[in-house]
Amino acid sequence: MFKVIQWSAGSASLSLLSFKVYASHKKEKRDKCSVKVDELSLYSIPSFESKYVEEPRSPLEEGISQLRKYAVPYAYWFQVAYDKTKPTIDGAIQQGIASCEFFQNPPPGFLPRLGVIGFSGILGYFFAKGSKLKKLLYPVGFMSITASVYYPQEAFEFAQVNGEKLYDWGLRVFIILEDVWKTYFQTDANQKLICTVG
């Protein structure tokens, strides 16, 4: 133990000593001992010429490459569809969150009105006998009439905005039906008239 302490004390005391080092002015000795960087074995440049050779693809790599080529148009189509539908989906999510918050803290009298509107839809479904079109139109009609009684201002705004759209659609359908009528039915009548005259 004593030798260990003596050895550590000795090495510690040597680190505190300072030595003076003088530079040599003799160029002859330095030139004889100097070695160039290229002469060192660590920094030697290989003398052979290297050439890159690409390894042949394995069947698995070739299959993945073909799969990627086939998937590129579909990935592009999916990205375009995603970019188009993302705002709509985000809006629907925000609307759903707002609706949940609204139903958690409804205004006074809202839930009884909602119950009456829903009951009128069920009543419209029972009155609709016969075709499936009646079973679709009667409940919607009864519910819209009941909702317009409770919320007249909102019903007026809804009817004003959607009435214009409905009028535009009706006008388009009328124009299409008129073109079909002129194309198919009037040409048949003209051909029958020509056949009877001729």
Side-chain angles (χ1 to χ4, degrees):
M1 175 90 174
F2 179 70
K3 289 185 178 183
V4 172
I5 295 173
Q6 192 177 20
W7 178 77
S8 62
S11 62
S13 63
L14 285 176
S15 66
L16 297 174
L17 293 176
S18 61
F19 299 99
K20 291 184 180 181
V21 178
Y22 297 99
S24 172
H25 293 289
K26 296 179 182 179
K27 293 183 180 179
E28 297 172 2
K29 289 184 179 178
R30 197 176 80 206
D31 288 341
K32 289 180 182 176
C33 297
S34 65
V35 178
K36 294 181 180 179
V37 174
D38 293 338
E39 294 175 359
L40 295 173
S41 63
L42 292 175
Y43 301 107
S44 62
I45 300 170
S47 60
F48 63 89
E49 293 182 10
S50 61
K51 184 179 178 183
Y52 176 73
V53 178
E54 188 174 344
E55 292 184 17
R57 288 184 174 181
S58 67
L60 178 64
E61 290 175 333
E62 194 67 36
I64 290 173
S65 174
Q66 291 295 326
L67 182 65
R68 288 180 67 186
K69 285 179 186 176
Y70 290 135
V72 165
Y74 298 108
Y76 176 73
W77 173 81
F78 180 76
Q79 184 67 38
V80 169
Y82 175 76
D83 290 341
K84 285 183 180 179
T85 56
K86 186 178 186 312
T88 307
I89 292 171
D90 289 343
I93 290 171
Q94 291 299 324
Q95 187 69 27
I97 291 170
S99 298
C100 287
E101 290 174 359
F102 180 77
F103 281 119
Q104 285 176 353
N105 299 319
F110 174 75
L111 293 177
R113 291 177 183 175
L114 186 65
V116 171
I117 293 170
F119 180 73
S120 66
I122 294 170
L123 193 64
Y125 183 76
F126 284 121
F127 280 135
K129 292 182 180 179
S131 69
K132 292 181 181 178
L133 184 63
K134 284 183 180 179
K135 289 185 178 181
L136 178 69
L137 291 177
Y138 278 25
V140 172
F142 278 37
M143 288 173 68
S144 61
I145 290 170
T146 309
S148 66
V149 168
Y150 282 122
Y151 302 102
Q153 182 66 30
E154 289 83 357
F156 176 73
E157 291 173 2
F158 181 80
Q160 188 176 12
V161 171
N162 291 323
E164 293 173 1
K165 290 181 183 177
L166 189 62
Y167 176 74
D168 289 340
W169 290 347
L171 193 59
R172 288 180 190 168
V173 169
F174 179 74
I175 290 170
I176 291 170
L177 289 176
E178 187 179 24
D179 288 342
V180 169
W181 178 265
K182 286 180 183 177
T183 305
Y184 292 109
F185 294 110
Q186 288 187 353
T187 55
D188 290 342
N190 290 339
Q191 287 177 357
K192 288 179 182 177
L193 184 64
I194 291 171
C195 289
T196 56
V197 171

